[in-house]
Amino acid sequence: MMAFARRVSARSAAAAALATYAARGDSNMDDKQPYRVLVVGAGLGGCLAAKELRRRFGDAAELHVWERATYTAGRFGAVAKAGELRVDLGAQVLSVVDPGDPRALPGHGITRDALDGAWTEVQALEERGLVEPVGNEQLAPTEERLLWPELWRQYAAVGSLSDVCAALLADARPDAVHFGRRVDGLERDATFVVAAAQRDGDGIATPARATFDAVVLAVPAPDALAIDGVADALPSELADLVRRTRYDARTATAVFLRDDDGEASRVLDRVFGGSVERDGLGGLELVHRHGRGGPVVAVVAHSAAAAAVAQQLSVADVLAAIDAAALRPLVVSSKTVRWHCAQMITPLEALRPRNPVDRGPCVCDKSSTLVLAGDYCTQSSFLGAYASSLAAAEAVHRGYLRRGC
C-alpha cells in the first residue's frame, strides 16, 4: 500500500506540473525576447534534453516541447493500462553505469560528465520514489540488458517509465508543452519556422506554426530525417551519416488478466519462477511480468527482432508462447505497439571514425541551432540517452553564446 501511495504521489506531482506548462501558449514570455528553443519529442531523450537546456540557460531561454503522442511516451515511456495497473510497452527497465566502479571509463561517445550525471539523475529519481533497483537475477540475460555485475545497474519504475519522463520534463520548467502535435517540416531563415499538425481529443488536426532560434530533434533518426527540411539544413556528410544508422523492428503486446481468485498469478508463478522476466519462450525475445496482489496482473511480450517490419503478436500468440492458453477467459484487455525503430543495430557511435564533424554524441548543423539527439548517437540505455541529451544541450548553448546573446 505504501508503494502504491508513493507511486500515486510522484505521478500526481509531475502531472500537475505538466498541466501548468501545457496550459501556456506559444507566445514569448515577455518583451526581452529570450532565446526560443524547441525540443521535438517528449520521450526520455527529449525530457532529458529539456532539463539540461534549462540547467544551462536558466531563464534566458524560452523552452517549448512538442510531442506527437498525448503524453510523455516514446520507446521509453509508452504505456498500457487497465484500472490502476500501468505497464511499459517499450523499455522495461532503465540501465545506468555506476561511475564508482573501476571499469566505468569514458569512451564510445560517453564522457565522464555523462557517466556521473546519469548516475546522479537516477539516484535522484530513486529518492523521489519513481524508480527502484532490480537485481540482475530478476532479469533475462538478453544482450540489451547489459547485465555486467556491479558495473551496469538496473532500475524498474515504481509506476511506469512514462512517470519518469513526466517528472524529468516537469523539472525542465518548460514555458509551453504541446501534446498531440506532430512536426511536419521546418524552414530556415534567420530563425526556424516550424510547421506542425495539432490533434485535438477527437483526432481532428489543425495547422500550427511557430518560430524558434534553435531546434532539438529528440526522436529516432528516421523520424528526424522524415521532417521536411531537416536533411537540407544539415551538412550533407552528417545527413548521410544519420541515414546509415540502423534499428531493428519489434512488436510489444501487453495482456491484462483478471486475478480476483489468484489463478492468473499461480500460472505466472509457474512461468516466471522467482524472476520478473523470461527470454526465449515460444520464440519471443522477452516476456516481462507486472502486478502482484492486485485485481489485475499483466504480461508484456516482445517479439523477436526483425530487420524491417515487426511481426504480428496477438493475445493468443502471447499466451501460447508462455504455455498459458488456459488464461484466455481471464483476459481483461490488451494493447499492441509495433515499433519500427526498436533496438539499435548500427548506432552513430559505430560510424564515428568517418564523421567529418565530431561534436560528441549528437548531430549539429554548423551554427549549433539544429541539433539531433537520441540513442542512435551512442547506445540504447538511459546512460546513452543522457549522454546524447547532455551533448545536445551543450551544442545549443554554444550556438547561443556564439550569437552574442
Side-chain angles (χ1 to χ4, degrees), residues 79-149:
V79 296
K81 60 184 178 180
E84 292 293 339
L85 182 60
R86 290 154 51 92
V87 302
D88 298 300
L89 278 168
Q92 299 295 304
V93 298
L94 65 84
S95 303
V96 67
V97 163
D98 180 352
D101 190 288
R103 296 168 292 175
L105 301 174
H108 301 286
I110 307 295
T111 64
R112 171 54 63 181
D113 284 346
L115 286 168
D116 292 339
W119 179 256
T120 299
E121 193 70 71
V122 172
Q123 301 314 297
L125 291 170
E126 184 181 3
E127 282 278 319
R128 295 161 71 176
L130 289 161
V131 301
E132 57 191 5
V134 56
N136 289 351
E137 71 282 355
Q138 291 280 304
L139 302 173
T142 59
E143 182 179 355
E144 55 262 35
R145 275 292 170 264
L146 304 169
L147 301 182
W148 292 47

Side-chain angles (χ1 to χ4, degrees), residues 300-323:
V300 177
H302 296 256
S303 70
V309 180
Q311 69 185 65
Q312 296 282 354
L313 192 58
S314 68
V315 170
D317 294 333
V318 173
L319 295 181
I322 66 173
D323 192 22

Side-chain angles (χ1 to χ4, degrees), residues 37-57 61 63-65 121 165 168-169 171-174 215-219 361-362 371-374 382 384-397:
V37 182
L38 171 65
V39 176
V40 178
L44 177 61
C47 295
L48 284 169
K51 183 172 181 177
E52 287 299 318
L53 284 163
R54 180 61 74 199
R55 188 165 70 86
R56 276 161 182 74
F57 279 91
L63 183 59
H64 294 241
V65 179
E121 193 70 71
C165 291
L168 293 169
L169 185 53
D171 291 345
R173 296 180 290 109
V215 177
V216 177
L217 301 177
V219 296
C362 67
V371 182
L372 280 62
F382 183 93
Y386 183 90
S388 188
S389 299
L390 185 69
E394 290 171 346
V396 172
H397 196 243

Side-chain angles (χ1 to χ4, degrees), residues 332-398:
V332 175
S333 62
S334 66
K335 182 178 179 179
T336 296
V337 173
R338 299 180 75 176
W339 298 107
H340 70 281
C341 293
Q343 200 73 15
M344 285 306 309
I345 299 173
T346 307
L348 191 64
E349 184 272 329
L351 306 170
R352 244 341 136 171
R354 303 174 206 171
N355 185 353
V357 182
D358 192 340
R359 294 178 180 169
C362 67
V363 174
C364 311
D365 65 356
K366 293 178 180 177
S367 63
S368 292
T369 53
L370 177 62
V371 182
L372 280 62
D375 63 349
Y376 62 90
C377 294
T378 173
Q379 60 173 244
S380 292
S381 68
F382 183 93
L383 173 59
Y386 183 90
S388 188
S389 299
L390 185 69
E394 290 171 346
V396 172
H397 196 243
R398 278 198 308 270

Side-chain angles (χ1 to χ4, degrees), residues 80-320:
K81 60 184 178 180
E84 292 293 339
L85 182 60
R86 290 154 51 92
V87 302
D88 298 300
L89 278 168
Q92 299 295 304
V93 298
L94 65 84
S95 303
V96 67
V97 163
D98 180 352
D101 190 288
R103 296 168 292 175
L105 301 174
H108 301 286
I110 307 295
T111 64
R112 171 54 63 181
D113 284 346
L115 286 168
D116 292 339
W119 179 256
T120 299
E121 193 70 71
V122 172
Q123 301 314 297
L125 291 170
E126 184 181 3
E127 282 278 319
R128 295 161 71 176
L130 289 161
V131 301
E132 57 191 5
V134 56
N136 289 351
E137 71 282 355
Q138 291 280 304
L139 302 173
T142 59
E143 182 179 355
E144 55 262 35
R145 275 292 170 264
L146 304 169
L147 301 182
W148 292 47
E150 306 304 320
L151 175 61
W152 282 92
R153 302 299 181 96
Q154 321 296 331
Y155 291 79
V158 173
S160 74
L161 291 173
S162 181
D163 298 337
V164 171
C165 291
L168 293 169
L169 185 53
D171 291 345
R173 296 180 290 109
D175 297 288
V177 178
H178 289 281
F179 293 110
R181 183 168 288 192
R182 185 195 68 234
V183 174
D184 296 319
L186 56 82
E187 299 174 9
R188 182 179 210 154
D189 193 4
T191 58
F192 289 102
V193 179
V194 183
Q198 177 69 56
R199 293 191 177 275
D200 62 18
D202 296 322
I204 299 173
T206 55
R209 291 172 70 88
T211 59
F212 297 95
D213 298 296
V215 177
V216 177
L217 301 177
V219 296
D223 294 349
L225 293 181
I227 297 172
D228 190 38
V230 169
D232 292 338
L234 291 172
S236 59
E237 304 97 322
L238 290 182
D240 180 63
L241 198 68
V242 174
R243 286 190 190 96
R244 287 162 49 203
T245 60
R246 292 289 181 270
Y247 301 78
D248 64 26
R250 305 186 189 195
T251 299
T253 295
V255 181
F256 293 92
L257 302 160
R258 189 173 66 252
D259 197 35
D260 299 317
D261 60 0
E263 175 60 21
S265 285
R266 284 190 289 274
V267 172
L268 296 182
D269 285 343
R270 171 179 58 78
V271 174
F272 288 89
S275 67
V276 296
E277 208 170 61
R278 291 286 307 276
D279 63 334
L281 293 176
L284 298 176
E285 177 71 19
L286 196 67
V287 185
H288 199 95
R289 177 180 185 174
H290 291 270
R292 290 177 186 269
V296 176
V297 295
V299 292
V300 177
H302 296 256
S303 70
V309 180
Q311 69 185 65
Q312 296 282 354
L313 192 58
S314 68
V315 170
D317 294 333
V318 173
L319 295 181

